[in-house]
Amino acid sequence: MKMLVVCSDFPYPADHGGRVDTWGRIKVLAELGWKLHLLVCGKQTPSKEEMEAVYDYVEEITLCDRRSKLTDLLHVIPMQVQSRSELRSVKLSGDYDYVLLEGDYVYPVLQNPKIRQDTAILRVHNDEAVYFKALARSTKNVVHKMYYHMESSKFAILQKRMLEKVDKYLFISSKEFENFQKQNPAAKSLFLPPPVSKVSFESSDFQNKNVVFIGSLFMPNNREAIQWYLEHIHPLMLKEPEYKFIIAGNSRKQSLSWLEPYDMTNVIVHDTPKSLDDIYRSGYLFVNPMQNGAGVKLKTIEAIQNGLPVISTSIGYEGTGLVDNEHIMVADRPELFYAKIKQLFDNPQAAKALLESSQSFLRTHYNHKEVLKSFIQSLNTSYKVKQVL
């Protein structure tokens, strides 16, 4: 069986949420015996080493250019989608049993003559209309705010078009899946949790009093989360002996001047680190103080896999299925957020118990391979997926 996987970004290295999800799925599909053709329409050209790493799992890779023009802003299609219009005409071999669209951005591939619409499966990473509206709330730049509002409105229109062409949906967020299922009961939709990438989970030794945040530093909603923490929580935490706030993420070489207004005492910033392992390993707990967003915040799931209990706002854990005070601690008011951190700092055994409970939940409910395998079998009962790895 042959599958075309269409991405808006090269999936390797898996250094941010979308890549983590896509890369994990590619490996799972390869393990299930699928012959994979990867089609990527993005800005960044992968290195030879990155291509070789992906060729370990896929048989063919096709890259096409993403071309952005100012006139795209005038188009009824979102700019993120219109800039990938080359997908309509890129040369493909065809004869795919299924075509997996990794998000709404790659919508133009459905107009490629080699693609049969009845083979299309959409992986829903976010409700993009909601996501771009959230980005508009997060940014302080007026031009960016206008752009995000425009994209939000256009994605709302595109989602209706998508429903006319695609009837198979795999949601990363349980919340967005439930909402979609109620409104579109005829569609073949399923909650497919993000892949758990680690064979065995890590665990903090709860010695260093380091609070960790890891996320893309070029994204306005992550910047807003960090700024909220620095403004409301960090000054209170400075009273804690040996406390440090560790920030890490890819800035895409953008300025970090947005950090300058804040007291950076005991704050360590790792801009575009090559590896996150030591950063996770140095942490006591992970914070996800997101104020705006959509879909599942994979940083929460990644932190748990890497051995850190998580304290989050309601936005930071929605759609994960995690339960407050059982798998994760949730607080939206600054004084309560601080109190939750203080509670775990003062009781390492409670921190360890929270981590173990959340990791047990992931092992039980985040079986990406089995859910995906069952979904594909339900689409084609005559085909039995055979695991090869």
Side-chain angles (χ1 to χ4, degrees):
M1 298 285 279
K2 186 178 180 182
M3 183 181 292
L4 177 69
V5 181
V6 192
C7 302
S8 60
D9 182 30
F10 199 74
Y12 186 87
D15 54 5
H16 62 72
R19 285 184 173 184
V20 168
D21 182 62
T22 301
W23 179 236
R25 188 161 33 264
I26 286 171
K27 293 196 288 186
V28 164
L29 286 166
E31 290 168 7
L32 291 173
W34 283 85
K35 295 179 179 178
L36 301 178
H37 177 183
L38 178 64
L39 171 60
V40 181
C41 191
K43 277 186 175 179
Q44 296 173 313
T45 302
S47 67
K48 180 183 176 183
E49 292 75 20
E50 291 166 351
M51 292 281 283
E52 288 174 350
V54 175
Y55 269 122
D56 286 340
Y57 296 92
V58 309
E59 292 192 344
E60 186 178 355
I61 299 174
T62 301
L63 304 176
C64 73
D65 292 333
R66 178 189 172 192
R67 296 189 176 95
S68 300
K69 308 184 295 294
L70 278 176
T71 53
D72 289 342
L73 289 169
L74 305 176
H75 205 282
V76 69
I77 297 293
M79 189 174 187
Q80 290 287 345
V81 177
Q82 184 63 19
S83 64
R84 294 176 170 88
S85 58
E86 191 173 328
L87 289 169
R88 297 176 185 137
S89 56
V90 66
K91 291 184 179 179
L92 300 170
S93 58
D95 300 323
Y96 303 109
D97 295 286
Y98 290 106
V99 178
L100 178 59
L101 281 65
E102 290 289 344
D104 295 358
Y105 292 4
V106 297
Y107 168 83
V109 79
L110 293 175
Q111 296 168 299
N112 191 293
K114 290 290 186 179
I115 301 301
R116 297 195 339 265
Q117 287 183 14
D118 64 313
T119 65
I121 303 170
L122 177 65
R123 173 54 160 179
V124 183
H125 293 269
N126 292 301
D127 181 327
E128 298 294 349
V130 173
Y131 178 65
F132 274 88
K133 190 175 289 186
L135 290 180
R137 290 194 297 268
S138 296
T139 186
K140 294 179 175 63
N141 185 298
V142 175
V143 174
H144 292 172
K145 193 178 289 288
M146 290 175 59
Y147 164 70
Y148 291 139
H149 275 302
M150 288 173 59
E151 289 288 277
S152 174
S153 299
K154 291 176 181 180
F155 270 113
I157 296 170
L158 181 70
Q159 286 164 359
K160 294 177 182 177
R161 290 191 182 186
M162 195 75 81
L163 274 168
E164 298 172 0
K165 297 178 180 291
V166 180
D167 69 345
K168 294 176 278 292
Y169 292 78
L170 295 171
F171 284 83
I172 194 172
S173 164
S174 60
K175 178 182 175 182
E176 290 181 3
F177 159 66
E178 290 164 6
N179 292 338
F180 178 88
Q181 191 179 44
K182 289 176 185 175
Q183 297 172 17
N184 305 280
K188 300 180 182 73
S189 60
L190 190 71
F191 167 53
L192 176 66
V196 172
S197 57
K198 287 187 172 291
V199 176
S200 59
F201 292 160
E202 307 295 330
S203 180
S204 172
D205 59 13
F206 301 104
Q207 297 297 314
N208 297 323
K209 291 298 180 74
N210 293 344
V211 172
V212 176
F213 177 92
I214 296 173
S216 299
L217 301 180
F218 59 87
M219 291 300 297
N221 50 1
N222 284 336
R223 292 183 179 186
E224 179 187 45
I226 294 167
Q227 290 171 323
W228 183 89
Y229 181 92
L230 287 173
E231 180 176 353
H232 298 289
I233 312 300
H234 182 63
L236 300 173
M237 291 300 302
L238 287 174
K239 297 179 292 186
E240 297 295 320
E242 302 178 41
Y243 156 78
K244 291 183 178 63
F245 181 39
I246 312 296
I247 302 169
N250 188 344
S251 69
R252 288 189 179 173
K253 300 181 179 179
Q254 294 182 19
S255 170
L256 298 180
S257 59
W258 50 274
L259 290 170
E260 291 175 359
Y262 303 94
D263 181 356
M264 298 297 283
T265 304
N266 291 359
V267 178
I268 299 171
V269 180
H270 298 276
D271 185 356
T272 319
K274 290 184 178 180
S275 172
L276 299 173
D277 293 346
D278 288 341
I279 297 170
Y280 281 119
R281 208 169 286 129
S282 72
Y284 188 100
L285 58 82
F286 188 93
V287 290
N288 189 358
M290 302 288 287
Q291 304 298 299
N292 289 288
V296 166
K297 316 307 173 292
L298 285 177
K299 58 176 70 68
T300 296
I301 305 302
E302 287 289 295
I304 292 170
Q305 291 184 70
N306 282 281
L308 298 182
V310 177
I311 298 174
S312 173
T313 56
S314 299
I315 294 291
Y317 92 114
E318 66 180 0
T320 61
L322 297 165
V323 177
D324 183 20
N325 288 325
E326 183 177 343
H327 311 121
I328 191 170
M329 286 191 166
V330 180
D332 292 313
R333 290 184 288 111
E335 61 273 19
L336 186 56
F337 202 99
Y338 165 70
K340 299 279 189 181
I341 298 176
K342 176 75 171 155
Q343 180 181 341
L344 294 188
F345 264 28
D346 291 346
N347 191 340
Q349 289 304 315
K352 184 178 181 181
L354 187 70
L355 173 65
E356 290 175 348
S357 177
S358 61
Q359 291 183 337
S360 177
F361 179 86
L362 294 190
R363 288 190 188 96
T364 304
H365 297 282
Y366 275 49
N367 195 329
H368 190 91
K369 181 184 289 185
E370 288 304 315
V371 176
L372 186 57
K373 177 180 174 181
S374 298
F375 180 75
I376 294 172
Q377 286 179 332
S378 73
L379 300 178
N380 185 359
T381 54
S382 64
Y383 174 70
K384 301 300 181 184
V385 179
K386 182 179 180 182
Q387 186 168 328
V388 296
L389 291 175

